[in-house]
Amino acid sequence: MRTVHFSGRLVGRQEETGRLAGLTAAARAGRGGALVLTGEPGTGKSALLDHARRTADGMRLVRACGSRFEKELPFAALHQLCLPMLGHLSELPAQHRDALRSAFGPAPGAPDVSRVGPAALDLLSRAARAQPLLCLIDDAHWLDSASSHVLAFLARRIAGEPVAMVFAARPAGVAGELTGLPGLSLSGLSDTDARMLLASLSHTAVDDQVRRRLVLEARGNPLALLEVPSAGGYAPLDTSSVPSPTERGHRSRIEALPAAVRLLLTVASADPTGDAALLWAAARHLGIDATASAAAATATGLAEFATQVRFCHPLARSAAYRAAAPGERRRVHGALAAVTDPATDPDRRAWHRAQAASSPDADVAAELERHAPRAQTRGGTAATAAFLERAAALSPDTAERTARTLAAVRAHIDAGMGERARQLLATVEDTAMDRHRLARVDVLRGQLALLRQSGGSGTVFALRAARRLAEVDPEGSRAHLLDALEMSLSTGRVTGALDVVLAAARTAAPAPRSPDALDAFVRLTTEGPRAAYPLLRRVLDGEDAPMWTRRPALAVVLASELWDPHTHTEITEWLMKTGRASGSPLLLRLGLVRTATGSALSGDLGRAQAAIAEEEAVAHAVGGPPVTYHRLQLAAMRGRRDEAVALFEAVGAAARADGTGQPDTDVHWAAAVLHNGLGEYPAALAAARRAVSHGGLQPAGLVLPELVEAAVRCGEHAAAAAALEQLTESTGAGGTSSGLGIAAYARALVTGREEHYLEAVEHLEKSPLAPYRGRARLLYGEWLRRRGRRRDSRAQLRAAHELLSAAGAEAFARRAADELRATGERAQSRSRAAADRLTEQETHISRLVSTGATSKEIAARLHLSPRTVDAHLRNIFRKLGITSRRQLTGHPALDV
């Protein structure tokens, strides 16, 4: 089963995950125990086992799974469980060795169940001495009787061993030996949790009316909830794929019904909203005796007809649609189109008309295209893609069909459906096109490469598009040059792209109206920051709308070049809001990457980690690889050497695989930060030099202070002075407190003058970049200590340690602690252990409780139930070792 997560936790399963956490924690402490999870198929038993596996830090995992095909094979499941531990067999007494060998086959003789149990217990006990054991037994309702007997024996006798056993079974399959074990029954999710689960599928937009119908039909079953209709119900049900056994069972029941009843069920299945009024109107249009047919359908248990029409399961809806012949489905959609109000629901009417069409129809195609934007409000970019693809299929004119196909390709890319976009694009590649259409195809190929995170190939396609239009459409050519730069920036692979784009821009025809972003970048590289920054600011703000509404990745770079973290935050918020509202994985993932990067730079580790986790989840959902470089930036800021080195290797391998050959500027910047934090200045200097050698876009600007610090520590004062000159020009032109403060502490390193340290501290007090505030005080404290001013240095170093610890900049915080120790004072340890154990949701709830908010108030704010909030609080109290809400006020774990 697919694991059902939301914000890093299982939706609606707080009590269950708490029980599992308590079980594994007790086992690690030497107090073994067992738990039997029971629930109907799809309620999340396997997902909870997977959660136990992922969260069982420090435990060795062994697994077994019952099978209906091995139910008659004695000890089959026990053998699965014990197989990884048979290396300890030689340590057992002879009678125990012989008992297990006879049970598992190598030794002759019939196994004696009464001997196999103690022998297996001895084996588990010896294996657990080296490392606590977590035993997971899935599909326990299919256990063979011998394994069931022995596993129940083990579960009752591991109380004194560091062993946890978790069984998952259907209620009807738990009998005999397992019945008396501690158990937990899984019911369906509440409506609140069900809606939360659907909302957590952030790559899929679902119309509110469709969502309500889906929640009703799923009846709280998580697996059924994951049968989310794509495109807000607009994507047609797939009638070509092989149905599941469950769906085949529903279909056989449907096919046995009278024709009128089947037709009514087909109408209900074809309407994604479950609107009863629409159903009755369509039934009348088709001449169905709705009262009698609905009663007959209800009697089968397949569907209910009330104020809202709902099937017993989403697969029953699918079965009803598949069971109808193609002509009958078209007839049903025609009836639904006829009774749908064209004034209030023009998009739904257009969609049903399109599904009713059996041949190309120019009017229907035009209607679909016209209402595609409205459909997006119901089903996001996936709905737009569905409308445009169907419009293309119904277009009799070749040119219109090609144009609509290309528009559908773009919409599918925006929706993260790369494979479908690729298939559609292939259908028009042999079509005769003019230069503009060919350029558009190139850009679409580039965007497909971007969706796959395949490095530089997207940029290559966009540059080819620009060259196609250079003579016939200079303005379009310039736009495609910016596309090339945007694509390279979106993947974090800007190496080389800027030089190529700027070389083309210098020979391109000038912008037809006011200077554009290309002009700004050319001016930056030829005339320097002071000449370019006013134009960069004007381009970023835009004449009609901010640049980030068209080219967000490029806007991020401009904000960084201007040393403007506040605009970076504004861009990030727009990306997140727009990405969620439109259902566009591309925008959402870019927003999450920028959230992670901005949070790492501002010292909000929890937010950065949550964004990284969600980006990985969205990438997995759309079938693409997760972005890596923002994880690397966070690891570098934290000073986590092993984690960062593993990520460096992964990024390097990806660069070699996509042909770029070497990591980009931001990777070298991360390496410089990591090594400066660890005090490894030669390595930091080498990394910083590699970063600035690539050219003049951020994060090259942020590399300069790393280069200055490393060069000063290595005694290379000429290199430090040269980097400082560049940094001073850039930050002076930007004029922000963040840039001016960072430049001031770099200047202080070079000059050794106290007023520059004080200037840095003063400027950075107004900056959101907490790690840099801490670093300014660290460098000032180090300078003071080396001049024998211990008392003054302690004040700065204490503040630095506090800031850097709170920001999670662990390596820099250790530097501050070491410096404090050198002054004769020990740094106050900020233990992160408790805070690291809290989930993001638990941390949020803890902070709200500490302000005096009630469970009901928190539930309303976070869209949870009060019961769920209270379950969170029980986990929080246990993790923090407290017993009341009052103790959360001022708790050190919440300051991290």
Side-chain angles (χ1 to χ4, degrees), residues 25 34 72 77 140 231 261 354 399 496 530 533 630 700 702 795:
E72 305 305 320
V261 180
R530 292 195 181 277
Y533 277 18
H630 60 308
L702 276 173

Side-chain angles (χ1 to χ4, degrees), residues 243-317:
S244 67
T246 301
E247 187 176 336
R248 286 198 298 270
H250 291 311
R251 183 167 177 171
S252 66
R253 294 165 64 192
I254 292 167
E255 289 173 342
L257 296 172
V261 180
R262 291 200 310 271
L263 186 59
L264 183 67
L265 287 172
T266 305
V267 176
S269 69
D271 168 37
T273 67
D275 184 342
L278 192 68
L279 177 80
W280 304 135
R284 287 192 297 272
H285 187 87
L286 292 166
I288 300 172
D289 182 346
T291 303
S293 296
T298 301
T300 67
L302 287 166
E304 296 177 9
F305 297 86
T307 54
Q308 182 93 5
V309 180
R310 65 173 176 174
F311 282 79
C312 65
H313 190 281
L315 291 179
R317 175 180 291 272

Side-chain angles (χ1 to χ4, degrees), residues 288-501:
I288 300 172
D289 182 346
T291 303
S293 296
T298 301
T300 67
L302 287 166
E304 296 177 9
F305 297 86
T307 54
Q308 182 93 5
V309 180
R310 65 173 176 174
F311 282 79
C312 65
H313 190 281
L315 291 179
R317 175 180 291 272
S318 177
Y321 195 80
R322 286 176 186 262
E328 193 170 63
R329 288 196 289 266
R330 287 195 295 272
R331 183 181 167 211
V332 161
H333 280 292
L336 287 166
V339 300
T340 299
D341 189 335
T344 59
D345 282 320
D347 49 331
R348 293 204 192 281
R349 179 177 179 273
W351 180 251
H352 286 303
R353 285 191 71 198
Q355 297 307 108
S358 58
S359 60
D361 187 315
D363 289 340
V364 174
E367 187 178 355
L368 276 173
E369 184 177 37
R370 187 165 61 253
H371 294 302
R374 179 182 172 92
Q376 181 170 340
T377 64
R378 298 187 194 269
T381 50
T384 302
F387 267 55
L388 292 172
E389 182 177 347
R390 185 63 177 154
L394 293 175
S395 300
D397 180 77
T398 301
E400 286 186 337
R401 184 167 60 252
T402 300
R404 287 165 178 160
T405 299
L406 294 180
V409 170
R410 172 59 193 268
H412 278 298
I413 291 171
D414 288 344
M417 295 181 284
E419 181 56 25
R420 185 58 191 150
R422 186 193 64 75
Q423 293 169 355
L424 274 180
L425 192 58
T427 66
V428 298
E429 286 181 336
D430 295 331
T431 307
M433 300 185 207
D434 60 19
R435 288 193 186 186
H436 284 88
R437 287 265 170 85
L438 289 171
R440 189 174 181 190
V441 169
D442 284 331
V443 171
L444 290 172
R445 286 175 178 152
Q447 289 168 337
L448 273 171
L450 172 62
L451 189 63
R452 296 192 297 268
Q453 297 289 321
S454 58
S457 57
T459 304
V460 171
F461 283 120
L463 288 170
R464 190 161 74 184
R467 285 193 291 270
R468 286 189 192 276
L469 299 183
E471 295 180 5
V472 298
D473 183 2
E475 185 176 3
S477 179
R478 292 179 72 88
H480 290 320
L481 288 175
L482 289 174
D483 287 335
L485 196 52
E486 176 82 4
M487 289 178 190
S488 66
L489 291 165
S490 295
T491 57
R493 316 285 307 164
V494 73
T495 297
L498 180 63
D499 292 338
V500 174
V501 169

Side-chain angles (χ1 to χ4, degrees), residues 657-681:
D658 66 27
T660 55
Q662 59 181 342
D664 210 339
T665 304
D666 49 12
V667 177
H668 298 309
W669 163 66
V673 172
L674 174 71
H675 292 300
N676 269 336
L678 295 170
E680 299 166 350
Y681 300 114

